[in-house]
Amino acid sequence: MTEKSRETLIASVLAGTLETGRLVVGPMAGPCWRSFPAAPESVSWARRFTESALAEVADVDAEHVGDVVLVVSELITNAVREVAKLAPASDGARPVHLGVGVHDRWTHLHAVDTAPALPREAHRGPLAGSGRGIPIIKALAAMTWVEQAEHGKTIHVVISRTGVELTPEDRQTLMP
């Protein structure tokens, strides 16, 4: 198999699995991917998946792992809530997808869902039961951005390692 045909095969598999939600894999050098049903229990599954992806980091930067897991919890909670508002898909599947890219200076999260609504901050009182996710993400993230697609969006959150400031070069590298 040539390198070009291998790349084409990988791209095809990724595109098909992201669309159907049946299986999501990532290239060895890229983020680790996992799909979850749009259900409340997916939040705890996503946290465990993230902890596993960051297992080696936990020994040297447990604070970073805690921050990333908290952000994942907020991202997947919001994705599940938004996808649940949609009409059921024809095949019954409307998964949310999580990519975790672990790097020396940061972790890059990719939260993908089929809901068209963009995240927006809800300004609620201190006793409200919800509405704290975006402020938490903003407080912990070095960078965030959203890429909209025809059938949903990808929310990117970059969390720098403890004590690390992203350089302008880092930021340029990360932006699409």
Side-chain angles (χ1 to χ4, degrees):
M1 178 179 275
T2 68
E3 183 64 22
K4 182 69 175 163
S5 62
R6 181 177 173 275
E7 289 175 6
T8 302
L9 175 64
I10 291 171
S12 171
V13 169
L14 286 175
T17 57
L18 279 172
E19 204 170 87
T20 65
R22 300 274 192 278
L23 170 70
V24 179
V25 296
M28 294 303 284
C32 298
W33 287 93
R34 184 72 45 93
S35 293
F36 304 98
E41 60 271 14
S42 293
V43 177
S44 64
W45 297 341
R47 284 193 302 259
R48 285 195 299 273
F49 166 68
T50 303
E51 288 169 342
S52 175
L54 290 165
E56 290 181 24
V57 176
D59 292 336
V60 294
D61 195 351
E63 183 178 342
H64 176 72
V65 173
D67 289 348
V68 173
V69 169
L70 177 56
V71 169
V72 163
S73 183
E74 298 301 331
L75 285 171
I76 300 303
T77 296
N78 291 344
V80 164
R81 181 180 295 126
E82 291 302 315
V83 170
K85 293 177 185 176
L86 302 174
S90 58
D91 64 358
R94 282 212 190 267
V96 296
H97 311 284
L98 175 65
V100 180
V102 181
H103 303 273
D104 290 339
R105 296 172 43 79
W106 63 78
T107 298
H108 183 167
L109 301 172
H110 312 251
V112 182
D113 66 57
T114 56
L118 293 175
R120 62 183 177 82
E121 194 168 338
H123 299 284
R124 300 187 181 169
L127 300 178
S130 65
R132 292 185 188 85
I134 291 176
I136 289 170
I137 292 168
K138 282 180 169 179
L140 296 174
M143 291 177 68
T144 61
W145 68 95
V146 178
E147 292 179 311
Q148 277 194 286
E150 185 178 342
H151 300 289
K153 64 188 170 294
T154 301
I155 299 173
H156 296 266
V157 179
V158 177
I159 303 165
S160 59
R161 294 280 181 97
T162 305
V164 172
E165 289 258 347
L166 294 185
T167 66
E169 293 81 18
D170 291 337
R171 291 174 183 280
Q172 188 173 14
T173 300
L174 286 159
M175 288 303 291

